[in-house]
Amino acid sequence: MDIMNVSMQWIPNQSYCSSSPLFYYVHFGSLTSPLQLNTISENQSLSGDQTIVFAGGMFELGFFKPGQLSNYHIGMDTKPNSKFVFSVILVCVFLESHVSLAADTISENQSLSGDQTIASAGGMFELGFFKPGQLSNYYIGIWYSKQVVSKMTVVWVANREIPVSDIFSSALSILDGNLVLFDESKTPVWSTNLNSTTNSGSVQAVLLDSGNLVLKAGSSNNTLEPLWQSFDHPTDTLLPGGKFGFNKITNHSQILTSWKNLEDPAPGLYSLHLAPDEGDSCIYLWNRSRQYWTSGPWNESLRNFNMVPELRLFNDFNYSSVRNENESYLTYSINNPKIVTRSLMTASGQVQQLTWLEASKQWNVFWSQPRQCDVYAFCGAFSSCKPTSLNYCKCLKGFEPNRQSDWDLQIYSGGCSRRTSVKCGNATGDGFLEKNSKSLLENSQNERALSFESCRSACLNECQCTAYVYDSSNGCSIWHGDVLNLQEFEANDGDGRILYIRAAASDIEKKRNKRMIIHVLLGAVNLNVILMIVFFSLQLSPLIAIVSTITGLLVVIFGYFLWKKTLGTKSKVAAGGEMNDAELPIFGLRAIIAATNNFAEANKLGEGGFGPVYKVTLPLCILNTNTFVSS
């Protein structure tokens, strides 16, 4: 192309931060009039090496050749000394009405949306939108920055019950003195809900290095009590300096409530409360109603709970209970600022103290309470819990998980349901399957039955009866509805009882068939051995002996494959199976306290990487608090 015979006419738009387009007109012909510095008029054209410069000398417009070929283009470039100014213009164009955020603050004329985040001054925490699972559900949350914890770890969630679907149309803003989250339709879905009379004047939200999000009046340097703070509204995590308890003035309780599962931060089944009327003990509740564990009252002189004496064994942690006329709460701090730690109410019903191990890039359970199988309804209905199993829960025989997706996420509270429904009455062919259980079920009903058979018949004749237990000392007990909190026998545990679970006739028949196949297989092996002995003792024909032996072996092989096909391999964990783990002896806390004389200094052998080491009279064991106890 000959640029001397090509010209361009242009009418520029002067609004440099506007979203309006720029208009270009190309004219082919000769130059008709000399150009002004920054303008192409109606009777002018641009060609050859001519350029125009405009916007205060920031831009040049003219022909350019980007490659080796003789192909020319009309383009616009910045002057060398205008690169920085041009970048500012680009920010203006792309952000348009958005105001850039300060590092750790959201002010009244600002909003946070899309991938924008704010970070605490020391870079410990970030606040922004996050998506915990596969669904397009987004939440406003606070998490550790990657410089501190490389694994995404959320410690607080604002809109945990109402997610948003489009983070670029949603915004976190300050409105009328409140921090408010608007969804894609500009509907408020979460707010700090402050009374407007208490927060007059300018307000801003600041993320602190403690992980606390505070709403302050005036500047971020204001040291007065915040108008609102996330530490007063914890979700499932208690950070150092945070607190949970009860405010006597506002009647507001600060509790830790678990997520539903690893992909859903909505409130789950388990929660941790402080009970001021019970000596400031920590109580664990299922479904906000049923207490399943308590820490015992707070011991101020020992600075621990009666049921959690190991709290005082960790020198880097300072636990304290505060009681005054305004509030009662529990809090903790750490002496070593290099330790990254958090207390967590898990979706499985345990409270865990976790510390971050940078070397292994994972969270380490420092201590946890209670034992997993002691959590109420942890395995759900018609499922049993085995403390020494890697995956704890499995469905009873004849049952399968209600929600396989939850079991895949190791959330078993949905329990199991029957594969085959049972019928009512003694003549239906239904029966019972045996289950060795350590725990006694709740809501049992005593039945006047003088024998095992009469107890069995009493349950079988009641359509709602799902299980029964009979022994000579306690008589007959039957249960209606769901069977919860089953625990399997431990090694050397003599406290268990045999529970009989109602089962469909087809499930009973399958079990009988399995036993029959095993008996046939054993019989074939024994017969083969006997035939070999007879043939060789009578010195019969070798051919007859060989044929008989081969026949016996074929019977054994056939029986083996029939047994494998019928019994099948061990089912997957998600389908309610379990892995064979070595039986590990587990000792209760009371036994450990007695063996160490309440962790007396006289029995202390020294300090280890995980805490003090004590001499006891028990075999070598490892507590679930990661404290090593040696004999």
Side-chain angles (χ1 to χ4, degrees), residues 251-273:
N251 289 326
H252 172 70
S253 295
Q254 298 143 341
I255 63 177
L256 301 184
T257 306
S258 68
W259 285 26
K260 274 191 174 181
N261 55 56
L262 296 177
E263 297 184 351
D264 188 353
L269 286 173
Y270 301 102
S271 55
L272 175 65
H273 303 247

Side-chain angles (χ1 to χ4, degrees), residues 229-251:
Q229 58 181 346
S230 61
F231 271 11
D232 287 338
H233 306 270
T235 51
D236 67 333
T237 301
L238 186 68
L239 295 171
K243 59 184 180 181
F244 79 97
F246 180 76
N247 190 307
K248 302 174 184 178
I249 299 177
T250 62
N251 289 326

Side-chain angles (χ1 to χ4, degrees), residues 12-13 20 58 62 100 118 175 186 198-199 239 274 302 322 361 365 369 371 404 416 443 485 506 564 593 610:
N13 187 299
S20 301
M58 289 174 55
S100 60
I118 61 172
L175 178 66
K186 307 308 176 186
T198 64
N199 52 9
L239 295 171
L274 192 69
L302 297 177
V322 178
K361 306 293 183 184
V365 180
Q369 290 288 355
R371 289 174 57 190
Q404 185 63 58
C416 308
N443 305 322
N485 301 314
S506 58
K564 288 289 289 183
I593 293 175
F610 291 88

Side-chain angles (χ1 to χ4, degrees), residues 81 127 278 347 481:
N81 59 353
L127 178 142
E278 300 179 20

Side-chain angles (χ1 to χ4, degrees), residues 291-332:
Q291 179 177 324
Y292 63 91
W293 195 80
T294 178
S295 64
W298 175 260
N299 189 323
E300 184 61 34
S301 61
L302 297 177
R303 303 191 70 77
N304 63 15
F305 293 103
N306 286 355
M307 295 297 293
V308 198
E310 59 265 30
L311 289 185
R312 67 186 180 93
L313 302 180
F314 309 123
N315 296 327
D316 287 320
F317 290 77
N318 298 313
Y319 295 90
S320 60
S321 177
V322 178
R323 299 187 69 176
N324 55 47
E325 59 182 7
N326 297 327
E327 57 185 346
S328 295
Y329 63 88
L330 179 73
T331 186
Y332 72 102

Side-chain angles (χ1 to χ4, degrees), residues 111-124:
S111 63
L112 184 147
S113 63
D115 295 328
Q116 292 178 319
T117 62
I118 61 172
S120 61
M124 289 288 296

Side-chain angles (χ1 to χ4, degrees), residues 345-416:
M345 168 54 81
T346 68
S348 60
Q350 283 186 316
V351 170
Q352 297 178 345
Q353 188 71 46
L354 301 132
T355 57
W356 176 252
L357 301 179
E358 182 59 31
S360 58
K361 306 293 183 184
Q362 63 182 3
W363 288 98
N364 174 59
V365 180
F366 208 51
W367 63 265
S368 63
Q369 290 288 355
R371 289 174 57 190
Q372 190 61 77
C373 287
D374 291 335
V375 174
Y376 184 80
F378 168 63
C379 290
F382 301 107
S383 178
S384 63
C385 188
K386 188 174 182 180
T388 56
S389 175
L390 181 63
N391 294 281
Y392 292 113
C393 298
K394 72 170 182 177
C395 293
L396 301 179
K397 293 178 181 177
F399 293 80
E400 59 187 0
N402 278 321
R403 292 188 295 272
Q404 185 63 58
S405 58
D406 285 351
W407 282 62
D408 293 340
L409 295 172
Q410 297 183 334
I411 301 298
Y412 310 106
S413 57
C416 308

